[in-house]
Amino acid sequence: MVNNWYWVIIIAIFIIGGLSETIRRGFEGVARRQREINKNLILIAKQLGCEFDNEPLRKEILQLLQEGQKIKAIKLVRTHLDFSLKEAKTYVDELDAARKL
């Protein structure tokens, strides 16, 4: 009888492990989709001549630019907004140019 409980526990561990992995993947998908939506909103607003910014992120980017850490700023944009390298560099360059005005 004790031997059967071992199998039940082992099977339960595998089931819980599989469920937690499925949930983790679901959250990653939601986060990725949210970054894509944010990126699209920024690009649409830019085309319309409006400003759509994530203020805390913008402040962090400006702080990095002020410290001379442009590469870190570009990496931050790529991470948070899911921009390509070119898009992130353009975004950071535009913020830097506006900051210098």
Side-chain angles (χ1 to χ4, degrees):
M1 187 67 174
V2 173
N3 199 15
N4 288 338
W5 280 107
Y6 288 129
W7 284 110
V8 169
I9 292 171
I10 290 172
I11 291 171
I13 290 171
F14 279 113
I15 290 173
I16 291 170
L19 288 175
S20 66
E21 179 65 18
T22 301
I23 292 169
R24 185 189 61 79
R25 285 185 186 158
F27 282 130
E28 286 176 357
V30 169
R32 184 176 55 250
R33 184 67 185 135
Q34 184 179 11
R35 286 192 309 269
E36 289 172 10
I37 290 169
N38 200 16
K39 172 185 170 182
N40 289 336
L41 284 173
I42 290 170
L43 294 174
I44 290 168
K46 194 175 183 182
Q47 288 177 350
L48 294 173
C50 305
E51 277 300 316
F52 176 81
D53 255 329
N54 180 343
E55 188 63 26
L57 177 63
R58 192 171 78 75
K59 284 182 179 179
E60 192 172 351
I61 293 166
L62 291 172
Q63 179 65 34
L64 288 170
L65 290 172
Q66 196 169 21
E67 295 170 0
Q69 298 182 5
K70 191 173 191 176
I71 293 173
K72 280 188 179 181
I74 292 170
K75 287 180 181 180
L76 186 68
V77 170
R78 292 194 72 200
T79 301
H80 285 277
L81 302 178
D82 204 31
F83 278 12
S84 69
L85 179 59
K86 182 180 178 184
E87 291 168 331
K89 184 179 181 314
T90 301
Y91 185 78
V92 169
D93 285 343
E94 288 174 359
L95 282 178
D96 195 24
R99 177 183 68 93
K100 291 179 181 177
L101 291 180

